[in-house]
């Protein structure tokens, strides 16, 4: 199960590329690895709308990654696509570059340069649906800002302070209006666009602290906000959890400025996640999240079955309760990793 989950997380957590099974060596010097996954989904429920007859069918994500390594330098290049029956412009089947970055390993510090996941928060992921089939508040549910699912051109340093603690931070850049409206860059109220020094983050993470199974994370991010505000605003995260071979429980608090989502007051997210693995083949999870100002709560109840070395089946019930509308769905997925 652990190996399969690592491959499924391809392009999300760059250290996993080091254990790719599919590797060839050129001239006894350069290692080339490749891997990826394909997720075929079927979903039924009012989440998908009457225009789609309350269902969704297709490939929610297919990714193919190539890594090249020479001594302490590694390059990562990821192609991805999605095509479903839902009329969504991002699910059109086109193949796009999802990640492309270079890792320079100067022990104990890694420097990562290029288009990459920021990995900000307690349990950050690289693609929507990496944690559960339907994303919760921290992954952008119901119009929330996807704090745990950020990616883009960045310069990031990761310092492994000890076996348990690491410090991660860096600078990044993004489209000025990617997450904050549709104002044109020529708008006279916008004096400056997003720049690398307008966007930065730093966070401290711990795993298996003092051998107790406790893990934790805290960090702060400064991110440029376009639209009605030509400035940078802050995001703060604080979370902790405990896990062993069978159980995993965690709680996280995320706070962000009101301008990120256009609410009257600053927003607060609360995330509770739990899972149980009776053995290496099965996992059951129950997640809850809430956004205070958006008046939104989400529930995710699902299970994974490790069918064989490269195949996993997932079934999930997901419900979002909002002030304006409530939606739910039952989704099934088969993931082939390689």
């Amino acid at each position: 199960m652990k190996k399969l989950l690592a491959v499924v997380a391809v392009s999300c957590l760059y250290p996993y590329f080091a254990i790719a099974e599919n590797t060839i060596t050129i001239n006894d010097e350069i290692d080339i690895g490749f891997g990826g996954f394909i997720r075929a989904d079927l979903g039924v429920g009012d989440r998908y709308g009457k225009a789609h007859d309350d269902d969704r069918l297709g490939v929610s994500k297919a990714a193919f990654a190539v890594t090249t390594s020479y001594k302490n330098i590694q390059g990562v290049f990821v192609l991805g696509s999605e095509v479903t029956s839902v009329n969504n412009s991002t699910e059109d089947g086109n193949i796009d570059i999802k990640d492309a970055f270079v890792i320079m390993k100067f022990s104990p510090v890694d420097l990562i340069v290029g288009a990459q996941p920021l990995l900000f928060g307690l349990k950050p992921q690289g693609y929507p649906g990496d944690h559960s089939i339907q994303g919760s508040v921290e992954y952008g549910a119901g119009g929330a800002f996807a704090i745990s699912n950020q990616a883009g051109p960045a310069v990031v340093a990761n310092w492994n302070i000890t076996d348990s603690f690491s410090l991660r931070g860096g600078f990044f850049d993004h489209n000025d209006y990617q997450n904050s409206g549709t104002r044109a860059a020529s708008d006279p109220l916008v004096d400056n666009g997003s720049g690398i020094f307008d966007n930065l983050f730093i966070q401290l993470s711990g795993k298996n602290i003092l051998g107790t199974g406790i893990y934790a994370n805290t960090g702060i991010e400064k991110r440029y906000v376009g639209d009605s505000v030509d400035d940078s605003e802050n995001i703060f995260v604080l979370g902790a959890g405990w896990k062993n071979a069978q159980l995993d429980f965690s709680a996280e608090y995320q706070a962000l400025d009101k301008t990120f989502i256009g609410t009257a007051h600053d927003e607060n997210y609360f995330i509770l996640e739990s899972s149980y693995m009776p053995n290496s083949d099965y996992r059951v999870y129950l997640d809850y999240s809430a956004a205070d100002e958006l008046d939104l709560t989400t529930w995710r109840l699902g299970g994974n079955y490790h069918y064989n070395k490269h195949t996993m089946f997932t079934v999930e019930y997901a419900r979002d309760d909002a002030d304006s509308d409530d939606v739910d769905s039952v989704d099934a997925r088969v993931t082939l990793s390689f």
Side-chain angles (χ1 to χ4, degrees):
M1 173 66 82
K2 290 182 179 178
K3 183 175 291 183
L4 178 61
L5 291 176
V7 176
V8 168
V10 68
S11 89
C12 305
L13 300 174
Y14 67 85
Y16 285 135
F17 284 104
I19 62 172
E21 293 183 82
N22 309 307
T23 304
I24 60 175
T25 302
I26 299 177
N27 296 329
D28 295 325
E29 291 184 332
I30 299 176
D31 292 328
I32 299 178
F34 59 92
F37 61 81
I38 301 173
R39 298 171 176 162
D41 288 22
L42 170 64
V44 179
D46 56 8
R47 176 184 306 278
Y48 303 113
K50 297 297 182 183
H52 311 110
D53 201 24
D54 288 347
D55 60 28
R56 177 185 70 158
L57 178 64
V59 173
S60 59
K61 179 65 67 178
F64 179 75
V66 178
T67 67
T68 56
S69 303
Y70 177 68
K71 294 185 178 180
N72 64 322
I73 308 298
Q74 186 176 51
V76 178
F77 185 79
V78 183
L79 295 174
S81 181
E82 53 278 306
V83 53
T84 72
S85 59
V86 175
N87 185 22
N88 187 319
S89 61
T90 65
E91 300 177 0
D92 53 11
N94 290 341
I95 297 175
D96 303 306
I97 299 174
K98 300 301 181 182
D99 299 312
F101 53 92
V102 174
I103 306 166
M104 292 169 279
K105 300 178 180 180
F106 307 110
S107 183
V109 177
D110 295 342
L111 184 66
I112 310 102
V113 182
Q116 59 187 293
L118 297 185
L119 304 180
F120 184 67
L122 183 66
K123 295 180 178 179
Q125 304 295 329
Y127 285 135
D130 283 336
H131 181 75
S132 55
I133 295 180
Q134 297 296 336
S136 300
V137 166
E138 71 273 32
Y139 303 122
F145 183 86
I147 292 176
S148 297
N149 192 44
Q150 299 181 70
V155 178
V156 175
N158 194 79
W159 176 24
N160 295 310
I161 304 171
T162 67
D163 291 340
S164 295
F165 290 96
S166 64
L167 187 66
R168 181 178 176 87
F171 302 89
F172 60 97
D173 204 358
H174 63 92
N175 185 312
D176 299 357
Y177 310 100
Q178 179 180 3
N179 292 293
S180 53
T182 57
R183 286 160 52 97
S186 59
D187 193 309
L189 294 179
V190 177
D191 299 322
N192 301 295
S194 171
I196 191 169
F197 296 109
D198 298 312
N199 305 275
L200 55 91
F201 75 97
I202 188 169
Q203 64 179 347
L204 177 67
S205 300
K207 61 180 181 179
N208 195 22
I209 300 172
L210 299 176
T212 61
I214 294 174
Y215 56 95
N217 177 85
T218 185
I220 188 167
E221 176 180 326
K222 174 186 175 186
R223 185 181 180 99
Y224 180 84
V225 181
D227 205 1
S228 60
V229 178
D230 184 21
D231 200 357
S232 296
E233 301 295 347
N234 296 325
I235 300 173
F236 172 75
V237 296
L238 176 65
W242 173 83
K243 65 179 179 180
N244 62 17
Q246 287 80 39
L247 299 170
D248 189 343
F249 300 99
S250 68
E252 185 175 15
Y253 168 69
Q254 300 180 343
L256 66 160
D257 189 271
K258 61 185 179 181
T259 54
F260 284 100
I261 49 178
T263 53
H265 304 285
D266 292 345
E267 181 60 282
N268 298 282
Y269 298 162
F270 302 92
I271 304 107
L272 299 174
E273 296 177 350
S274 62
S275 66
Y276 171 58
M277 292 179 59
N279 55 53
S280 61
D281 291 335
Y282 294 92
R283 171 177 172 264
V284 179
Y285 59 89
L286 174 62
D287 298 342
Y288 167 83
S289 67
D292 187 27
E293 288 298 310
L294 288 176
D295 195 17
L296 169 70
T297 60
T298 73
W299 294 90
R300 307 289 183 252
L301 173 62
N304 298 326
Y305 169 50
H306 185 192
Y307 176 67
N308 61 34
K309 182 178 180 181
H310 296 284
T311 310
M312 182 190 298
F313 293 102
T314 303
V315 177
E316 177 181 289
Y317 172 73
R319 180 175 179 85
D320 298 352
D321 294 323
D323 183 48
S324 57
D325 192 19
D326 299 334
V327 297
D328 63 0
S329 63
V330 176
D331 296 271
R333 165 179 292 170
V334 54
T335 301
L336 172 65
S337 63
F338 55 90

